[in-house]
PDB file of all heavy atoms in Angstrom:
ATOM      1  N   LEU A 276     -16.086  44.089 -14.843  1.00 97.00           N
ATOM      2  CA  LEU A 276     -17.179  44.640 -15.646  1.00 97.00           C
ATOM      3  C   LEU A 276     -17.821  43.571 -16.536  1.00 97.00           C
ATOM      4  O   LEU A 276     -19.048  43.428 -16.533  1.00 97.00           O
ATOM      5  CB  LEU A 276     -16.653  45.777 -16.535  1.00 97.00           C
ATOM      6  CG  LEU A 276     -17.695  46.440 -17.446  1.00 97.00           C
ATOM      7  CD1 LEU A 276     -18.758  47.175 -16.646  1.00 97.00           C
ATOM      8  CD2 LEU A 276     -17.019  47.370 -18.430  1.00 97.00           C
ATOM      9  N   TYR A 279     -19.777  40.841 -14.604  1.00 96.00           N
ATOM     10  CA  TYR A 279     -21.123  41.299 -14.281  1.00 96.00           C
ATOM     11  C   TYR A 279     -22.036  41.252 -15.490  1.00 96.00           C
ATOM     12  O   TYR A 279     -23.212  40.844 -15.388  1.00 96.00           O
ATOM     13  CB  TYR A 279     -21.050  42.756 -13.741  1.00 96.00           C
ATOM     14  CG  TYR A 279     -20.679  42.917 -12.313  1.00 96.00           C
ATOM     15  CD1 TYR A 279     -19.479  43.471 -11.931  1.00 96.00           C
ATOM     16  CD2 TYR A 279     -21.553  42.499 -11.279  1.00 96.00           C
ATOM     17  CE1 TYR A 279     -19.114  43.609 -10.605  1.00 96.00           C
ATOM     18  CE2 TYR A 279     -21.214  42.632  -9.951  1.00 96.00           C
ATOM     19  CZ  TYR A 279     -19.995  43.207  -9.591  1.00 96.00           C
ATOM     20  OH  TYR A 279     -19.658  43.361  -8.287  1.00 96.00           O
ATOM     21  N   LYS A 280     -21.518  41.625 -16.643  1.00 94.00           N
ATOM     22  CA  LYS A 280     -22.303  41.616 -17.866  1.00 94.00           C
ATOM     23  C   LYS A 280     -22.788  40.166 -18.165  1.00 94.00           C
ATOM     24  O   LYS A 280     -23.944  39.969 -18.524  1.00 94.00           O
ATOM     25  CB  LYS A 280     -21.460  42.109 -19.027  1.00 94.00           C
ATOM     26  CG  LYS A 280     -22.125  42.074 -20.399  1.00 94.00           C
ATOM     27  CD  LYS A 280     -21.154  42.352 -21.513  1.00 94.00           C
ATOM     28  CE  LYS A 280     -20.214  41.188 -21.718  1.00 94.00           C
ATOM     29  NZ  LYS A 280     -19.295  41.366 -22.864  1.00 94.00           N
ATOM     30  N   LEU A 281     -21.907  39.220 -18.015  1.00 92.00           N
ATOM     31  CA  LEU A 281     -22.275  37.839 -18.306  1.00 92.00           C
ATOM     32  C   LEU A 281     -23.313  37.336 -17.324  1.00 92.00           C
ATOM     33  O   LEU A 281     -24.151  36.471 -17.666  1.00 92.00           O
ATOM     34  CB  LEU A 281     -21.022  36.941 -18.210  1.00 92.00           C
ATOM     35  CG  LEU A 281     -20.347  36.581 -19.553  1.00 92.00           C
ATOM     36  CD1 LEU A 281     -19.834  37.841 -20.228  1.00 92.00           C
ATOM     37  CD2 LEU A 281     -19.216  35.608 -19.329  1.00 92.00           C
ATOM     38  N   ALA A 282     -23.281  37.820 -16.094  1.00 93.00           N
ATOM     39  CA  ALA A 282     -24.271  37.393 -15.083  1.00 93.00           C
ATOM     40  C   ALA A 282     -25.630  38.011 -15.375  1.00 93.00           C
ATOM     41  O   ALA A 282     -26.667  37.336 -15.256  1.00 93.00           O
ATOM     42  CB  ALA A 282     -23.796  37.758 -13.702  1.00 93.00           C
ATOM     43  N   LEU A 283     -25.652  39.262 -15.760  1.00 92.00           N
ATOM     44  CA  LEU A 283     -26.898  39.990 -15.949  1.00 92.00           C
ATOM     45  C   LEU A 283     -27.587  39.681 -17.277  1.00 92.00           C
ATOM     46  O   LEU A 283     -28.806  39.524 -17.353  1.00 92.00           O
ATOM     47  CB  LEU A 283     -26.650  41.505 -15.865  1.00 92.00           C
ATOM     48  CG  LEU A 283     -26.270  42.092 -14.506  1.00 92.00           C
ATOM     49  CD1 LEU A 283     -25.829  43.540 -14.668  1.00 92.00           C
ATOM     50  CD2 LEU A 283     -27.462  41.986 -13.549  1.00 92.00           C
ATOM     51  N   GLY A 284     -26.794  39.602 -18.337  1.00 86.00           N
ATOM     52  CA  GLY A 284     -27.344  39.499 -19.686  1.00 86.00           C
ATOM     53  C   GLY A 284     -28.401  38.417 -19.854  1.00 86.00           C
ATOM     54  O   GLY A 284     -29.540  38.702 -20.290  1.00 86.00           O
ATOM     55  N   PRO A 285     -28.106  37.147 -19.529  1.00 79.00           N
ATOM     56  CA  PRO A 285     -29.097  36.083 -19.773  1.00 79.00           C
ATOM     57  C   PRO A 285     -30.376  36.258 -18.951  1.00 79.00           C
ATOM     58  O   PRO A 285     -31.384  35.661 -19.312  1.00 79.00           O
ATOM     59  CB  PRO A 285     -28.340  34.841 -19.343  1.00 79.00           C
ATOM     60  CG  PRO A 285     -26.899  35.202 -19.460  1.00 79.00           C
ATOM     61  CD  PRO A 285     -26.840  36.631 -19.090  1.00 79.00           C
ATOM     62  N   GLU A 286     -30.354  37.033 -17.887  1.00 77.00           N
ATOM     63  CA  GLU A 286     -31.521  37.154 -17.033  1.00 77.00           C
ATOM     64  C   GLU A 286     -32.430  38.323 -17.394  1.00 77.00           C
ATOM     65  O   GLU A 286     -33.529  38.453 -16.889  1.00 77.00           O
ATOM     66  CB  GLU A 286     -31.073  37.326 -15.550  1.00 77.00           C
ATOM     67  CG  GLU A 286     -30.324  36.136 -14.998  1.00 77.00           C
ATOM     68  CD  GLU A 286     -31.136  34.859 -15.022  1.00 77.00           C
ATOM     69  OE1 GLU A 286     -32.367  34.936 -14.842  1.00 77.00           O
ATOM     70  OE2 GLU A 286     -30.527  33.785 -15.225  1.00 77.00           O
ATOM     71  N   LEU A 287     -31.978  39.202 -18.316  1.00 75.00           N
ATOM     72  CA  LEU A 287     -32.742  40.412 -18.584  1.00 75.00           C
ATOM     73  C   LEU A 287     -34.097  40.104 -19.204  1.00 75.00           C
ATOM     74  O   LEU A 287     -35.146  40.638 -18.763  1.00 75.00           O
ATOM     75  CB  LEU A 287     -31.931  41.318 -19.535  1.00 75.00           C
ATOM     76  CG  LEU A 287     -30.847  42.166 -18.849  1.00 75.00           C
ATOM     77  CD1 LEU A 287     -29.986  42.860 -19.873  1.00 75.00           C
ATOM     78  CD2 LEU A 287     -31.473  43.161 -17.899  1.00 75.00           C
ATOM     79  N   PHE A 288     -34.175  39.253 -20.235  1.00 66.00           N
ATOM     80  CA  PHE A 288     -35.432  38.940 -20.834  1.00 66.00           C
ATOM     81  C   PHE A 288     -36.340  38.192 -19.856  1.00 66.00           C
ATOM     82  O   PHE A 288     -37.559  38.418 -19.827  1.00 66.00           O
ATOM     83  CB  PHE A 288     -35.221  38.076 -22.106  1.00 66.00           C
ATOM     84  CG  PHE A 288     -34.908  38.899 -23.306  1.00 66.00           C
ATOM     85  CD1 PHE A 288     -34.263  38.322 -24.377  1.00 66.00           C
ATOM     86  CD2 PHE A 288     -35.230  40.238 -23.380  1.00 66.00           C
ATOM     87  CE1 PHE A 288     -33.922  39.075 -25.528  1.00 66.00           C
ATOM     88  CE2 PHE A 288     -34.929  40.985 -24.488  1.00 66.00           C
ATOM     89  CZ  PHE A 288     -34.286  40.419 -25.573  1.00 66.00           C
ATOM     90  N   HIS A 290     -36.459  38.515 -16.696  1.00 62.00           N
ATOM     91  CA  HIS A 290     -36.998  39.430 -15.686  1.00 62.00           C
ATOM     92  C   HIS A 290     -38.169  40.246 -16.242  1.00 62.00           C
ATOM     93  O   HIS A 290     -39.160  40.485 -15.545  1.00 62.00           O
ATOM     94  CB  HIS A 290     -35.842  40.310 -15.175  1.00 62.00           C
ATOM     95  CG  HIS A 290     -35.999  41.795 -15.299  1.00 62.00           C
ATOM     96  ND1 HIS A 290     -36.903  42.502 -14.536  1.00 62.00           N
ATOM     97  CD2 HIS A 290     -35.400  42.680 -16.106  1.00 62.00           C
ATOM     98  CE1 HIS A 290     -36.814  43.803 -14.872  1.00 62.00           C
ATOM     99  NE2 HIS A 290     -35.925  43.940 -15.791  1.00 62.00           N
ATOM    100  N   TYR A 291     -38.119  40.609 -17.506  1.00 59.00           N
ATOM    101  CA  TYR A 291     -39.246  41.297 -18.115  1.00 59.00           C
ATOM    102  C   TYR A 291     -40.414  40.353 -18.345  1.00 59.00           C
ATOM    103  O   TYR A 291     -41.586  40.711 -18.193  1.00 59.00           O
ATOM    104  CB  TYR A 291     -38.833  41.979 -19.422  1.00 59.00           C
ATOM    105  CG  TYR A 291     -38.162  43.296 -19.227  1.00 59.00           C
ATOM    106  CD1 TYR A 291     -36.763  43.412 -19.422  1.00 59.00           C
ATOM    107  CD2 TYR A 291     -38.863  44.410 -18.811  1.00 59.00           C
ATOM    108  CE1 TYR A 291     -36.143  44.626 -19.227  1.00 59.00           C
ATOM    109  CE2 TYR A 291     -38.238  45.617 -18.612  1.00 59.00           C
ATOM    110  CZ  TYR A 291     -36.862  45.729 -18.805  1.00 59.00           C
ATOM    111  OH  TYR A 291     -36.256  46.927 -18.570  1.00 59.00           O
ATOM    112  N   PHE A 299     -35.170  42.679  -9.702  1.00 86.00           N
ATOM    113  CA  PHE A 299     -34.026  42.953 -10.544  1.00 86.00           C
ATOM    114  C   PHE A 299     -33.371  44.273 -10.179  1.00 86.00           C
ATOM    115  O   PHE A 299     -32.131  44.386 -10.151  1.00 86.00           O
ATOM    116  CB  PHE A 299     -34.431  42.924 -12.017  1.00 86.00           C
ATOM    117  CG  PHE A 299     -33.272  43.040 -12.968  1.00 86.00           C
ATOM    118  CD1 PHE A 299     -32.606  41.920 -13.414  1.00 86.00           C
ATOM    119  CD2 PHE A 299     -32.825  44.284 -13.418  1.00 86.00           C
ATOM    120  CE1 PHE A 299     -31.525  42.025 -14.292  1.00 86.00           C
ATOM    121  CE2 PHE A 299     -31.769  44.428 -14.282  1.00 86.00           C
ATOM    122  CZ  PHE A 299     -31.114  43.287 -14.710  1.00 86.00           C
ATOM    123  N   TYR A 303     -29.559  44.883  -9.069  1.00 93.00           N
ATOM    124  CA  TYR A 303     -28.698  45.744  -9.888  1.00 93.00           C
ATOM    125  C   TYR A 303     -28.066  46.870  -9.054  1.00 93.00           C
ATOM    126  O   TYR A 303     -26.901  47.207  -9.193  1.00 93.00           O
ATOM    127  CB  TYR A 303     -29.469  46.335 -11.059  1.00 93.00           C
ATOM    128  CG  TYR A 303     -28.616  47.135 -12.004  1.00 93.00           C
ATOM    129  CD1 TYR A 303     -27.756  46.501 -12.896  1.00 93.00           C
ATOM    130  CD2 TYR A 303     -28.668  48.536 -12.013  1.00 93.00           C
ATOM    131  CE1 TYR A 303     -26.946  47.232 -13.750  1.00 93.00           C
ATOM    132  CE2 TYR A 303     -27.872  49.262 -12.896  1.00 93.00           C
ATOM    133  CZ  TYR A 303     -26.986  48.610 -13.734  1.00 93.00           C
ATOM    134  OH  TYR A 303     -26.197  49.336 -14.600  1.00 93.00           O
ATOM    135  N   ARG A 313     -20.256  52.645 -15.759  1.00 95.00           N
ATOM    136  CA  ARG A 313     -19.609  52.296 -17.004  1.00 95.00           C
ATOM    137  C   ARG A 313     -20.575  51.653 -17.983  1.00 95.00           C
ATOM    138  O   ARG A 313     -20.212  50.826 -18.793  1.00 95.00           O
ATOM    139  CB  ARG A 313     -18.390  51.393 -16.737  1.00 95.00           C
ATOM    140  CG  ARG A 313     -17.302  52.062 -15.923  1.00 95.00           C
ATOM    141  CD  ARG A 313     -16.299  51.078 -15.408  1.00 95.00           C
ATOM    142  NE  ARG A 313     -15.592  50.408 -16.480  1.00 95.00           N
ATOM    143  CZ  ARG A 313     -14.731  49.384 -16.269  1.00 95.00           C
ATOM    144  NH1 ARG A 313     -14.507  48.942 -15.045  1.00 95.00           N
ATOM    145  NH2 ARG A 313     -14.127  48.812 -17.280  1.00 95.00           N
ATOM    146  N   HIS A 314     -21.839  52.034 -17.911  1.00 94.00           N
ATOM    147  CA  HIS A 314     -22.880  51.558 -18.850  1.00 94.00           C
ATOM    148  C   HIS A 314     -23.055  50.043 -18.759  1.00 94.00           C
ATOM    149  O   HIS A 314     -23.252  49.375 -19.801  1.00 94.00           O
ATOM    150  CB  HIS A 314     -22.552  51.988 -20.273  1.00 94.00           C
ATOM    151  CG  HIS A 314     -22.225  53.449 -20.414  1.00 94.00           C
ATOM    152  ND1 HIS A 314     -23.147  54.444 -20.227  1.00 94.00           N
ATOM    153  CD2 HIS A 314     -21.062  54.078 -20.726  1.00 94.00           C
ATOM    154  CE1 HIS A 314     -22.608  55.622 -20.385  1.00 94.00           C
ATOM    155  NE2 HIS A 314     -21.318  55.434 -20.696  1.00 94.00           N
ATOM    156  N   LEU A 315     -23.006  49.511 -17.552  1.00 95.00           N
ATOM    157  CA  LEU A 315     -23.133  48.052 -17.384  1.00 95.00           C
ATOM    158  C   LEU A 315     -24.454  47.527 -17.914  1.00 95.00           C
ATOM    159  O   LEU A 315     -24.494  46.460 -18.557  1.00 95.00           O
ATOM    160  CB  LEU A 315     -22.982  47.702 -15.882  1.00 95.00           C
ATOM    161  CG  LEU A 315     -23.230  46.223 -15.516  1.00 95.00           C
ATOM    162  CD1 LEU A 315     -22.280  45.307 -16.280  1.00 95.00           C
ATOM    163  CD2 LEU A 315     -23.060  46.041 -14.013  1.00 95.00           C
ATOM    164  N   LEU A 316     -25.539  48.224 -17.659  1.00 90.00           N
ATOM    165  CA  LEU A 316     -26.847  47.726 -18.102  1.00 90.00           C
ATOM    166  C   LEU A 316     -26.909  47.683 -19.617  1.00 90.00           C
ATOM    167  O   LEU A 316     -27.424  46.687 -20.179  1.00 90.00           O
ATOM    168  CB  LEU A 316     -27.963  48.643 -17.553  1.00 90.00           C
ATOM    169  CG  LEU A 316     -29.406  48.091 -17.731  1.00 90.00           C
ATOM    170  CD1 LEU A 316     -29.548  46.733 -17.058  1.00 90.00           C
ATOM    171  CD2 LEU A 316     -30.402  49.096 -17.172  1.00 90.00           C
ATOM    172  N   LEU A 317     -26.400  48.680 -20.280  1.00 91.00           N
ATOM    173  CA  LEU A 317     -26.388  48.663 -21.754  1.00 91.00           C
ATOM    174  C   LEU A 317     -25.517  47.541 -22.291  1.00 91.00           C
ATOM    175  O   LEU A 317     -25.912  46.830 -23.235  1.00 91.00           O
ATOM    176  CB  LEU A 317     -25.878  50.012 -22.284  1.00 91.00           C
ATOM    177  CG  LEU A 317     -25.718  50.131 -23.797  1.00 91.00           C
ATOM    178  CD1 LEU A 317     -27.076  49.913 -24.484  1.00 91.00           C
ATOM    179  CD2 LEU A 317     -25.150  51.490 -24.176  1.00 91.00           C
ATOM    180  N   LEU A 318     -24.372  47.339 -21.690  1.00 90.00           N
ATOM    181  CA  LEU A 318     -23.497  46.237 -22.128  1.00 90.00           C
ATOM    182  C   LEU A 318     -24.202  44.875 -21.928  1.00 90.00           C
ATOM    183  O   LEU A 318     -24.028  43.986 -22.773  1.00 90.00           O
ATOM    184  CB  LEU A 318     -22.201  46.272 -21.317  1.00 90.00           C
ATOM    185  CG  LEU A 318     -21.214  47.393 -21.630  1.00 90.00           C
ATOM    186  CD1 LEU A 318     -20.059  47.379 -20.614  1.00 90.00           C
ATOM    187  CD2 LEU A 318     -20.674  47.234 -23.063  1.00 90.00           C
ATOM    188  N   SER A 319     -24.970  44.751 -20.864  1.00 90.00           N
ATOM    189  CA  SER A 319     -25.674  43.493 -20.613  1.00 90.00           C
ATOM    190  C   SER A 319     -26.758  43.259 -21.665  1.00 90.00           C
ATOM    191  O   SER A 319     -26.941  42.123 -22.110  1.00 90.00           O
ATOM    192  CB  SER A 319     -26.294  43.530 -19.221  1.00 90.00           C
ATOM    193  OG  SER A 319     -25.321  43.738 -18.228  1.00 90.00           O
ATOM    194  N   ILE A 320     -27.449  44.330 -22.064  1.00 86.00           N
ATOM    195  CA  ILE A 320     -28.465  44.202 -23.094  1.00 86.00           C
ATOM    196  C   ILE A 320     -27.834  43.812 -24.449  1.00 86.00           C
ATOM    197  O   ILE A 320     -28.316  42.952 -25.155  1.00 86.00           O
ATOM    198  CB  ILE A 320     -29.255  45.521 -23.232  1.00 86.00           C
ATOM    199  CG1 ILE A 320     -30.057  45.791 -21.955  1.00 86.00           C
ATOM    200  CG2 ILE A 320     -30.187  45.504 -24.446  1.00 86.00           C
ATOM    201  CD1 ILE A 320     -30.720  47.160 -21.915  1.00 86.00           C
ATOM    202  N   LEU A 321     -26.722  44.463 -24.769  1.00 86.00           N
ATOM    203  CA  LEU A 321     -26.024  44.157 -26.019  1.00 86.00           C
ATOM    204  C   LEU A 321     -25.442  42.750 -26.042  1.00 86.00           C
ATOM    205  O   LEU A 321     -25.206  42.178 -27.113  1.00 86.00           O
ATOM    206  CB  LEU A 321     -24.919  45.184 -26.237  1.00 86.00           C
ATOM    207  CG  LEU A 321     -25.351  46.635 -26.470  1.00 86.00           C
ATOM    208  CD1 LEU A 321     -24.160  47.555 -26.568  1.00 86.00           C
ATOM    209  CD2 LEU A 321     -26.226  46.715 -27.739  1.00 86.00           C
ATOM    210  N   TYR A 322     -25.246  42.169 -24.855  1.00 80.00           N
ATOM    211  CA  TYR A 322     -24.662  40.826 -24.762  1.00 80.00           C
ATOM    212  C   TYR A 322     -25.653  39.759 -25.162  1.00 80.00           C
ATOM    213  O   TYR A 322     -25.278  38.676 -25.607  1.00 80.00           O
ATOM    214  CB  TYR A 322     -24.196  40.571 -23.342  1.00 80.00           C
ATOM    215  CG  TYR A 322     -23.782  39.136 -23.068  1.00 80.00           C
ATOM    216  CD1 TYR A 322     -22.655  38.593 -23.645  1.00 80.00           C
ATOM    217  CD2 TYR A 322     -24.555  38.314 -22.247  1.00 80.00           C
ATOM    218  CE1 TYR A 322     -22.259  37.292 -23.415  1.00 80.00           C
ATOM    219  CE2 TYR A 322     -24.199  37.013 -21.998  1.00 80.00           C
ATOM    220  CZ  TYR A 322     -23.062  36.490 -22.562  1.00 80.00           C
ATOM    221  OH  TYR A 322     -22.712  35.203 -22.320  1.00 80.00           O
ATOM    222  N   ILE A 323     -26.965  40.034 -25.110  1.00 71.00           N
ATOM    223  CA  ILE A 323     -27.971  39.022 -25.334  1.00 71.00           C
ATOM    224  C   ILE A 323     -27.862  38.412 -26.735  1.00 71.00           C
ATOM    225  O   ILE A 323     -27.855  37.180 -26.872  1.00 71.00           O
ATOM    226  CB  ILE A 323     -29.385  39.599 -25.086  1.00 71.00           C
ATOM    227  CG1 ILE A 323     -29.515  39.960 -23.572  1.00 71.00           C
ATOM    228  CG2 ILE A 323     -30.487  38.590 -25.472  1.00 71.00           C
ATOM    229  CD1 ILE A 323     -30.774  40.711 -23.240  1.00 71.00           C
ATOM    230  N   PRO A 324     -27.819  39.197 -27.831  1.00 64.00           N
ATOM    231  CA  PRO A 324     -27.688  38.564 -29.143  1.00 64.00           C
ATOM    232  C   PRO A 324     -26.352  37.815 -29.305  1.00 64.00           C
ATOM    233  O   PRO A 324     -26.274  36.812 -30.001  1.00 64.00           O
ATOM    234  CB  PRO A 324     -27.786  39.748 -30.139  1.00 64.00           C
ATOM    235  CG  PRO A 324     -27.510  40.973 -29.321  1.00 64.00           C
ATOM    236  CD  PRO A 324     -28.046  40.658 -27.936  1.00 64.00           C
ATOM    237  N   GLN A 325     -25.294  38.321 -28.653  1.00 65.00           N
ATOM    238  CA  GLN A 325     -24.041  37.607 -28.703  1.00 65.00           C
ATOM    239  C   GLN A 325     -24.165  36.247 -28.035  1.00 65.00           C
ATOM    240  O   GLN A 325     -23.636  35.243 -28.539  1.00 65.00           O
ATOM    241  CB  GLN A 325     -22.961  38.430 -27.972  1.00 65.00           C
ATOM    242  CG  GLN A 325     -21.601  37.728 -27.889  1.00 65.00           C
ATOM    243  CD  GLN A 325     -20.641  38.437 -26.951  1.00 65.00           C
ATOM    244  OE1 GLN A 325     -20.739  39.652 -26.732  1.00 65.00           O
ATOM    245  NE2 GLN A 325     -19.723  37.685 -26.371  1.00 65.00           N
ATOM    246  N   LYS A 326     -24.865  36.182 -26.893  1.00 60.00           N
ATOM    247  CA  LYS A 326     -25.088  34.931 -26.188  1.00 60.00           C
ATOM    248  C   LYS A 326     -25.858  33.953 -27.075  1.00 60.00           C
ATOM    249  O   LYS A 326     -25.515  32.767 -27.165  1.00 60.00           O
ATOM    250  CB  LYS A 326     -25.863  35.196 -24.909  1.00 60.00           C
ATOM    251  CG  LYS A 326     -26.272  33.949 -24.124  1.00 60.00           C
ATOM    252  CD  LYS A 326     -25.084  33.235 -23.516  1.00 60.00           C
ATOM    253  CE  LYS A 326     -25.526  32.097 -22.652  1.00 60.00           C
ATOM    254  NZ  LYS A 326     -24.402  31.361 -22.075  1.00 60.00           N
ATOM    255  N   ALA A 327     -26.880  34.439 -27.751  1.00 51.00           N
ATOM    256  CA  ALA A 327     -27.668  33.554 -28.649  1.00 51.00           C
ATOM    257  C   ALA A 327     -26.803  32.991 -29.753  1.00 51.00           C
ATOM    258  O   ALA A 327     -26.917  31.824 -30.130  1.00 51.00           O
ATOM    259  CB  ALA A 327     -28.856  34.357 -29.218  1.00 51.00           C
TER     260      ALA A 327
END
Side-chain angles (χ1 to χ4, degrees):
L276 179 67
Y279 278 111
K280 177 191 73 176
L281 263 62
L283 290 170
E286 297 300 326
L287 280 172
F288 277 158
H290 123 71
Y291 278 107
F299 185 89
Y303 185 74
R313 295 167 63 187
H314 309 293
L315 173 59
L316 190 58
L317 177 60
L318 288 173
S319 302
I320 294 172
L321 295 175
Y322 170 69
I323 295 171
Q325 175 190 335
K326 175 69 174 178

